[in-house]
Structures are given as structure tokens and as C-alpha cells.
Amino acid sequence: MLGAAFGDYPRVIAAPLDIGDCFKLIPQIFNIADRFQCPGLVLCDLLLSEGRLSVHPKDLDFSPSIDRGELITSGNGNGAHSAAATNGNYKRYKITDNGISPRAVPGVPGHIHTVATDEHMEDGVLISDEFTNPVKRRAMMEKRMRKVAGIEAAVPPPTLSGPRDADVTLIGWGSTKGVIEEACEILNEQGISANQLQIRWLVPLHGDAILEILKDSRHTIIVENNYSGQFARYLRSETSFVPDGHIRKYDGEPFMPHHIVEAVKEQLAGKTQWAGKAQVSVPMHEIMV
């Protein structure tokens, strides 16, 4: 999802934290996709799609606000003079300071555009490999990428849960939220203070905010349900941050709280295997017969 593209383009990627958050996240990402005219991708998993969760109805908004972004709803459009013969001077791909080109609601007189797979001029005329214009192609790419600043401002950075001066900080993303939260509770009860940084928005990542949160952490561990530490590699590529340890699980089953608790204790005691400068724990799910 991070790199699936023909070239660069702005996108938003989010991972719901639990089943209730799936309900909340979808309207939010739809609004961002509409407002900034970019793809919105949701990373869901089996734990969320086939799991169960009790949610109080008051915690759910059945009438979420809808933000369609900049729309043209009348014939005066975003051109200088409205005239059906000239398509109302409508520029579907108009170059703007914020990178967003106002779009016409279907049916507005004199505002027609054709969508195809190639690059476009402002008025929608294609710039293909045969009829090309490097100057305008570059301008269009830069126009689209200006959306990134607005997207970053629209998406909140992650926050730290638990005592700021904890012995260990557990970093997760998406559906590991609940099990890490419970593991932190157990660790705190057992005299090992723990806090949690859960990442919901993967793109934009807010790397500077993450580094600011983690700069005073005593011992950091990234918890992931995959083999290679996908988020750890992504975080390192974006921020150069390297954790003190990893807890990874890839046996087809979700984490249980004790998997994380036991791994944290082993890593703090230095009893786990090392991969470079970081410790790695790989819990195995207990087989139930």
C-alpha cells in the first residue's frame, strides 16, 4: 500500500485500532479522500473483520459530518466566463496553491470533464507519451503533491498512553491496541511501568511527533503481527528511529497479553535473541485441542 503506484501521488493509509474504531474511521477517511481528492486506504485484518466487541451506542455517531471539499455547484464555475460552448472555462485539473482542483457536481451546465489514465492539462486534455509537455507534466505532479501538507494538517498525530517516565514503551499499530493495552496494565501491576504508543494513521505518519514522544523513552519495543517487522522498517525509513527490541508473531494467531508481558520481561533481563542492536522475541500461540 505504501508503494503501489505508477509514480508518486498523495494517499492516506489508516489502520483501525479496534472493531468500534472501524465504524469511526471509515467516515473520517472518506472525508479526507473527498476533500483532498486522493485515495484512502484502510488496513483491516482478520481479528477485526471476524472478531467481536461490545460498543455502547453513545460512542457511535450515526450521523457523521460529510466534507466533500471544494465543489462547483453552479454554472459560474472556476473559470472566468461561463459558456457551454467553451465548457464554461472549467478546469478540472486547475493548478492551485493547495494542490486541490475544485470539481463540478455532475449535471452543472457547461462543466464536463473526461477522466482517463494519462496525465492531463488543466482543462482535461490528455498529455500522453505521444503528445507530451514536460513543463506541464512537472507542474501537474507538483500541484498534486502540494496536497500532502494539507493532509498532514488534517490528520492528528498519535499520542502516548500511560506514565511518561515508564520503564518500557510498547509501540504498536492497528489492531494490536487492545492486547498491548492489557499487557501494559499487567506489567504495571507487576511493578514494571509501561506505556503505549499506538499508530492509527500510517500515511501521513507524523514522524516528528513520534520522535518527540519517544525521545525520553527508556526502553522501546515494537509489537507487530508479521515476520519481518514491516512497521519497524517503515518507521526507520521515515525517521531513522531504531527500537531497543521487537516482539513479532506470525503463526496465524493474534497476540495474547501474556505473550507480550513475558517477552518484555525477557528483553529487560537481556535473555532473548539479538538481531543487530535490537532484541527480538517471537511468541508461539498455545495450541488448543
Side-chain angles (χ1 to χ4, degrees):
M1 286 190 174
L2 291 172
F6 292 102
D8 295 334
Y9 61 80
R11 73 196 74 186
V12 183
I13 303 177
L17 304 178
D18 55 38
I19 295 172
D21 193 39
C22 292
F23 190 96
K24 299 175 182 178
L25 177 62
I26 297 302
Q28 294 173 3
I29 205 164
F30 261 84
N31 279 342
I32 291 174
D34 256 359
R35 179 181 169 190
F36 294 98
Q37 301 176 28
C38 69
L41 307 173
V42 178
L43 275 168
C44 197
D45 58 25
L46 191 68
L47 182 67
L48 301 182
S49 62
E50 295 188 1
R52 296 180 178 88
L53 180 73
S54 296
V55 180
H56 197 287
K58 292 182 179 179
D59 293 333
L60 302 177
D61 183 1
F62 292 93
S63 300
S65 60
I66 298 175
D67 184 358
R68 297 293 189 193
E70 297 187 56
L71 294 179
I72 299 170
T73 58
S74 62
N76 56 359
N78 61 3
H81 305 286
S82 179
T86 59
N87 197 24
N89 287 331
Y90 176 42
K91 296 179 179 179
R92 174 61 187 96
Y93 305 98
K94 183 179 181 180
I95 294 178
T96 61
D97 290 339
N98 63 7
I100 301 171
S101 306
R103 53 184 174 147
V105 173
V108 175
H111 289 69
I112 301 171
H113 71 271
T114 301
V115 178
T117 58
D118 295 285
E119 186 61 274
H120 309 84
M121 307 277 269
E122 284 187 280
D123 59 3
V125 173
L126 296 184
I127 306 174
S128 68
D129 53 350
E130 295 182 9
F131 170 66
T132 188
N133 187 318
V135 173
K136 292 189 176 181
R137 293 188 76 142
R138 177 172 170 173
M140 279 295 174
M141 174 62 75
E142 292 170 350
K143 185 267 293 190
R144 283 192 295 272
M145 297 309 292
R146 284 198 290 272
K147 299 177 185 180
V148 172
I151 295 172
E152 289 177 345
V155 170
T159 57
L160 189 70
S161 299
R164 180 78 188 188
D165 60 345
D167 297 324
V168 61
T169 296
L170 296 177
I171 305 166
W173 61 277
S175 65
T176 56
K177 174 183 179 290
V179 70
I180 294 176
E181 196 172 66
E182 190 169 344
C184 285
E185 293 175 359
I186 296 172
L187 287 167
N188 283 307
E189 290 171 358
Q190 296 181 359
I192 301 174
S193 60
N195 57 26
Q196 176 182 7
L197 179 63
Q198 198 72 16
I199 310 300
R200 184 182 191 238
W201 296 96
L202 298 172
V203 178
L205 184 63
H206 286 299
D208 290 342
I210 292 174
L211 291 180
E212 181 65 25
I213 291 171
L214 297 177
K215 69 177 184 180
D216 298 324
S217 296
R218 298 177 183 176
H219 191 95
T220 55
I221 300 175
I222 295 183
V223 182
E224 301 194 63
N225 262 124
N226 59 68
Y227 175 85
S228 62
Q230 292 173 320
F231 177 74
R233 289 188 287 115
Y234 172 48
L235 182 62
R236 182 175 182 176
S237 71
E238 294 293 315
T239 66
S240 298
F241 176 81
V242 178
D244 299 301
H246 305 267
I247 304 175
R248 300 174 186 167
K249 200 165 185 291
Y250 46 88
D251 57 9
E253 298 294 334
F255 280 103
M256 299 294 286
H258 72 274
H259 293 144
I260 298 175
V261 171
E262 293 165 5
V264 168
K265 291 180 178 178
E266 290 174 354
Q267 291 198 17
L268 292 178
K271 296 181 179 180
T272 56
Q273 60 180 326
W274 291 78
K277 297 182 179 180
Q279 297 185 79
V280 180
S281 300
V282 184
M284 175 66 75
H285 203 83
E286 295 76 13
I287 299 177
M288 306 298 289
V289 178

